[in-house]
Amino acid sequence: MKNIVIGRYIPGDSFLYRMDPRVKLIALFLLFVAVFVIDELWVMGGALLGILILLPLGKISLKKVYFGLRPLLFLLIFTFVFQILFNTQGRLLTTLRLEFDPLNTAIAGGLFIAWLFLKRFTKFTFLSFLGVFAAILTVLSQLTIYLPFGTYTIAIYEEGLLFAIFILLRLIIIVTLSTILTITTKPTDLNLGLERVLKPLKVIKVNTEEIAMIIGIALRYIPTLLDEANKIILAQASRGVDFQEGKFKDKIVQIISLLVPMFIISFQRSDELANAMEARCFVPGKPRTRLNQLIWKPLDSVVLAVTFLFMVASIGVRILW
Amino acid sequence: MSILTLKDVFFSYGKTPAIQNLSLAVEAGEWVTIVGPNGSGKSTLTKLIIGLLAAKSGEIRVNDLTLSESTVQKIREKIGIIFQNPDNQFVGVTVKDDIAFGLENLSVPYPEMIERIDTYAKAVGMDEYLEKEPSQLSGGQKQRVAIAGTLAMHPDIIIFDEATSMLDPEGRHAMMAIMEDLKRQGKTILSITHDLREALRCDRVVVMHEGTILKSGEPSVILRDEALLKQARLTLLEPFKYMNELSSQKRLTDQWEAILWESALTL
Ligand SMILES: Nc1ncnc2c1ncn2[C@@H]1O[C@H](COP(=O)(O)OP(=O)(O)OP(=O)(O)O)[C@@H](O)[C@H]1O
Ligand SMILES: [Mg+2]
């Protein structure tokens, strides 16, 4: 747990790193709008292509983006498959008839178990999953020797396929863009950018500076509290509390034995922190100068203009096409 | 005129008084060590001095400012505090951010802020760690960052509230060296501890017990006063034990005294 990096910031240097965090946030927002508005496959493909060109220019390897996508892979596949299976609008494109007989079902099951076993040793869990999935489908649809005891027909419709592809691309683009943002922006800069971008909310009496201060302190203390939680888990484990196993009732006892000390420690900590902050002349709401200066560069204007135009264009295409 | 004056200060959290009839005057450039057992009111005293707590009666003055709601901010600007727990006073996400925190609060302009961060990070030997996060630092390093953050605000008085008690011996020694350095620069230091070794090099030791001052005087006198220290539940340092023993046998020569004092300084 020690190596958890909040926000996944990876030090580096490229124009993506040098961009003003305010611009990154606004650009991200504009692109999100665009991605949701687009309903033409070629525009969406163009957007994806744009990102693929952006990555090497910004010196971000595909691998890092993949790490950002990885936790969501199964969600992506699930929504994709779900759309294909259950959306029956539009023209029927193709069908795939699966016939389950004892032999091919056993083989399919065996393949799946083999994958479960192999996934501990291979790095390419996702790719191997796709391979095994395809193999299972092939076996079930082609290899029917005995009398099948059941059949299932997968029908793929035009709308379903299109919709599935759109959702997939949308999610991939959104996650990729967010990953680029968190990889290239320090959490503190992100926080500062957010504070500035949300400044107009002051009109409706939202104190953006205080919110930013709270987020900043949370960012600062999450690693420390994680450390603390680890220590408590170890201490409780040495007293015989088992955090790995146990019935539901035991689990609750375990959680309480972690939460209670965490709560007390955090309370005391926040009290001392507040004292330390006040001792260093912090007065809530008083204007302060800032160490982190945001400097608007020509590049920022260009990026903002380009993303804005892209958004307007996507809206235009949607309305006029 | 004294830089810090407390007159008949009284404070209680509930019914039992935590500070009572406490009067103390600290001169500019003086290094005063306050010693006392747990719960004797040392931390309460610091909180009173910078107005984190308000005294029930009595008067606290810094230079010519009397502590009150209208002067508390001015007074805080003149006093820096290093607290006991290195983790709970680290506000910034990085060393640099943390040193900057107080400067931001004082609205120091950006170029000067950069300059001061540089100067004081160097002064405590943390200039190579500016981009590091607290989880990558030792307790002693975090305390040094806290000192840099405080010094950068240019306070007249610096209070160390058991700032060494959570550090390893190395961290403690580094901290003592910094205090000596500050003394040489003419800063007023108020250091609070229940480790008598930290009282050897100061100008004056104040012994606190149950919220009041039992006695104050030069380290060479106070640190040898067994009865006094016992009353404050503190134990005599070894070399002073020998010193007292020798003196009770009328065998304490100047030479012995010097040797024992030296050996105390190496503890
Ligand atoms: N927030 C509080 N609420 C109630 N009582 C308190 C509070 N803080 C301290 N006290 C009490 O006030 C007295 C003085 O406490 P204080 O923390 O000033 O002692 P101290 O000399 O700093 O002790 P230590 O050496 O443990 O730091 C103690 O009896 C303590 O129990
Ligand atoms: Mg204390």
Side-chain angles (χ1 to χ4, degrees):
Chain A
M1 265 210 268
K2 232 191 148 68
N3 298 323
I4 286 185
V5 183
I6 307 300
R8 294 196 295 264
Y9 171 72
I10 301 171
D13 185 32
S14 76
F15 78 96
L16 286 175
Y17 280 88
R18 286 189 292 266
M19 261 163 66
D20 190 309
R22 285 171 294 188
V23 173
K24 289 192 211 180
L25 282 164
I26 297 173
L28 191 70
F29 176 74
L30 294 176
L31 291 176
F32 276 10
V33 171
V35 165
F36 274 103
V37 163
I38 293 172
D39 65 348
E40 289 289 332
L41 205 51
W42 60 272
V43 186
M44 194 69 105
L48 193 63
L49 193 70
I51 290 178
L52 287 179
I53 294 170
L54 191 70
L55 287 175
L57 284 179
K59 296 200 186 118
I60 297 175
S61 66
L62 262 175
K63 210 166 120 196
K64 287 175 191 158
V65 174
Y66 172 70
F67 279 125
L69 274 169
R70 201 167 54 172
L72 296 166
L73 273 184
F74 281 89
L75 178 76
L76 292 180
I77 296 171
F78 181 76
T79 41
F80 187 74
V81 172
F82 191 84
Q83 279 301 327
I84 286 188
L85 290 185
F86 297 107
N87 192 330
T88 53
Q89 283 166 322
R91 196 157 52 87
L92 181 66
L93 287 180
T94 175
T95 57
L96 185 67
R97 194 176 152 80
L98 305 180
E99 297 181 331
F100 299 89
D101 81 350
L103 178 69
N104 69 14
T105 310
I107 294 175
L111 279 171
F112 185 64
I113 291 171
W115 176 77
L116 281 180
F117 183 68
L118 276 175
K119 109 183 146 78
R120 292 160 169 245
F121 306 109
T122 159
K123 273 206 271 178
F124 305 100
T125 318
F126 177 60
L127 284 180
S128 61
F129 174 77
L130 286 186
V132 168
F133 189 66
I136 288 176
L137 286 184
T138 319
V139 167
L140 289 177
S141 60
Q142 307 301 330
L143 187 79
T144 316
I145 298 169
Y146 300 99
L147 190 66
F149 55 80
T151 58
Y152 181 76
T153 308
I154 300 174
I156 298 175
Y157 293 85
E158 192 177 9
E159 286 277 286
L161 183 66
L162 218 58
F163 220 75
I165 291 174
F166 262 110
I167 289 188
L168 191 69
L169 289 182
R170 249 181 215 142
L171 286 175
I172 287 178
I173 290 176
I174 286 172
V175 176
T176 306
L177 287 174
S178 317
T179 306
I180 293 176
L181 176 77
T182 53
I183 283 179
T184 61
T185 321
K186 282 187 206 154
T188 35
D189 289 341
L190 202 55
N191 190 19
L192 187 64
L194 202 62
E195 178 192 332
R196 297 292 159 83
V197 168
L198 295 180
K199 209 162 195 168
L201 290 183
K202 276 212 139 148
V203 179
I204 54 166
K205 296 248 160 44
V206 178
N207 194 335
T208 48
E209 275 155 29
E210 259 166 53
I211 293 172
M213 175 67 83
I214 291 167
I215 296 175
I217 287 175
L219 284 174
R220 148 73 185 90
Y221 277 95
I222 286 168
T224 311
L225 288 175
L226 270 176
D227 243 25
E228 209 107 82
N230 266 334
K231 272 188 217 147
I232 294 171
I233 289 176
L234 284 179
Q236 305 284 37
S238 75
R239 296 197 186 93
V241 178
D242 186 350
F243 280 90
Q244 306 291 334
E245 292 169 40
K247 293 194 211 60
F248 183 67
K249 212 183 95 206
D250 301 334
K251 279 264 186 286
I252 291 194
V253 173
Q254 290 156 15
I255 290 172
I256 290 176
S257 73
L258 177 63
L259 279 187
V260 169
M262 280 299 281
F263 190 75
I264 294 172
I265 291 171
S266 306
F267 221 73
Q268 187 192 353
R269 197 186 274 292
S270 65
D271 201 43
E272 287 183 18
L273 180 68
N275 278 341
M277 287 170 71
E278 275 196 69
R280 285 209 258 160
C281 300
F282 176 70
V283 182
K286 200 182 125 196
R288 323 163 64 221
T289 47
R290 284 306 177 80
L291 173 66
N292 295 310
Q293 301 283 312
L294 298 180
I295 304 158
W296 195 283
K297 295 170 283 296
L299 169 75
D300 294 311
S301 312
V302 173
V303 171
L304 206 56
V306 169
T307 44
F308 183 73
L309 285 180
F310 181 71
M311 185 195 68
V312 171
S314 343
I315 295 175
V317 168
R318 168 102 184 213
I319 294 171
L320 301 175
W321 218 265
Chain B
M1 197 185 65
S2 309
I3 194 165
L4 172 69
T5 324
L6 292 99
K7 227 160 70 192
D8 296 325
V9 175
F10 179 92
F11 179 83
S12 67
Y13 286 101
K15 280 218 180 81
T16 45
I19 296 286
Q20 44 189 335
N21 297 325
L22 193 143
S23 297
L24 175 71
V26 178
E27 303 305 317
E30 198 181 9
W31 178 358
V32 175
T33 306
I34 299 180
V35 297
N38 292 114
S40 56
K42 302 173 308 258
S43 297
T44 307
L45 182 64
T46 17
K47 285 179 195 158
L48 286 169
I49 293 174
I50 54 159
L52 287 172
L53 296 170
K56 303 263 158 64
S57 69
E59 190 186 77
I60 296 171
R61 263 201 348 249
V62 175
N63 281 330
D64 47 0
L65 285 175
T66 304
L67 181 64
S68 70
E69 230 167 280
S70 56
T71 58
V72 67
Q73 291 309 330
K74 273 235 150 57
I75 284 180
R76 282 182 191 164
E77 286 175 23
K78 297 193 186 309
I79 303 177
I81 301 192
I82 320 296
F83 291 93
Q84 175 175 19
N85 190 324
D87 252 318
N88 297 355
Q89 55 185 315
F90 204 112
V91 186
V93 174
T94 63
V95 169
K96 200 171 167 189
D97 287 323
D98 190 63
I99 300 177
F101 177 73
L103 302 173
E104 293 176 327
N105 294 335
L106 293 183
S107 289
V108 173
Y110 179 73
E112 195 184 334
M113 194 160 9
I114 295 291
E115 224 168 83
R116 288 204 205 177
I117 290 171
D118 230 48
T119 313
Y120 292 99
K122 272 208 189 82
V124 297
M126 290 297 291
D127 47 327
E128 281 172 25
Y129 296 84
L130 283 177
E131 298 299 332
K132 290 267 187 286
E133 291 168 18
S135 54
Q136 300 167 301
L137 302 176
S138 72
Q141 288 173 325
K142 278 180 240 184
Q143 285 305 61
R144 281 191 280 166
V145 174
I147 296 177
T150 296
L151 291 181
M153 297 171 75
H154 294 166
D156 297 332
I157 306 171
I158 298 150
I159 303 179
F160 293 83
D161 186 354
E162 304 205 35
T164 59
S165 67
M166 294 178 82
L167 305 186
D168 53 13
E170 199 182 322
R172 196 174 65 86
H173 282 129
M175 205 73 150
M176 294 313 294
I178 289 176
M179 283 190 218
E180 281 177 70
D181 209 34
L182 291 175
K183 161 75 185 171
R184 270 194 294 278
Q185 290 165 27
K187 296 273 183 194
T188 309
I189 306 172
L190 204 62
S191 78
I192 292 174
T193 177
H194 47 227
D195 188 337
L196 291 180
R197 291 173 296 181
E198 289 171 24
L200 290 161
R201 291 175 173 84
C202 69
D203 302 315
R204 181 153 58 113
V205 184
V206 172
V207 183
M208 262 185 88
H209 183 53
E210 292 181 349
T212 56
I213 294 175
L214 278 182
K215 200 171 178 183
S216 85
E218 280 182 35
S220 55
V221 178
I222 300 287
L223 294 179
R224 280 182 61 182
D225 193 333
E226 191 164 9
L228 173 72
L229 294 180
K230 197 163 190 174
Q231 196 183 348
R233 296 207 302 278
L234 295 161
T235 39
L236 217 54
L237 292 174
E238 276 313 305
F240 297 117
K241 234 181 236 168
Y242 292 129
M243 223 185 260
N244 287 344
E245 213 162 290
L246 287 173
S247 127
S248 70
Q249 295 166 5
K250 305 253 181 316
R251 278 165 53 203
L252 184 66
T253 58
D254 286 351
Q255 204 180 354
W256 264 118
E257 199 171 332
I259 290 171
L260 287 168
W261 185 259
E262 275 307 315
S263 73
L265 285 179
T266 60
L267 285 176

